[in-house]
Amino acid sequence: MLSAFLRPTHATETFGRFLWLPDSNEKGIGSTLLAEACACLKSAGIGRAWLTTDPNTRAERFYRAAGWEHVGEKDNELLFERSL
């Protein structure tokens, strides 16, 4: 069973949603899906990607651990960026 949902926002390098079910935590599914999404963007010629998430959340810790850099705030969320 697929435990995640990834919906790119239009055809840009910004992810609209990257979610997975709570029972999938700590199984590496999110890391694998994020790596695949980044690989797809890179193969499309995109060199940098951005994402936002709420502050002080498990998602924030996940993105930081995955090498995303906090570069500011956007619409009351943390803005992260990463070279692909």
Side-chain angles (χ1 to χ4, degrees):
M1 178 174 110
L2 181 62
S3 299
F5 172 68
L6 174 63
R7 178 181 57 90
T9 303
H10 307 293
T12 69
E13 61 277 359
T14 303
F15 299 124
R17 295 284 181 261
F18 188 72
L19 309 167
W20 55 93
L21 300 174
D23 64 348
S24 299
N25 287 335
E26 306 299 327
K27 295 181 181 176
I29 295 170
S31 297
T32 300
L33 288 170
L34 183 59
E36 285 295 317
C38 290
C40 288
L41 292 173
K42 185 175 182 176
S43 71
I46 296 169
R48 297 194 71 72
W50 295 266
L51 60 81
T52 61
T53 191
D54 290 323
N56 303 312
T57 60
R58 183 181 199 120
E60 176 189 353
R61 293 185 297 277
F62 171 78
Y63 294 124
R64 287 183 187 276
W68 291 75
E69 180 184 357
H70 176 230
V71 295
E73 284 74 36
K74 181 180 179 185
D75 300 327
N76 297 318
E77 293 186 326
L78 301 176
L79 175 64
F80 286 88
E81 179 180 52
R82 181 169 181 188
S83 293
L84 301 174

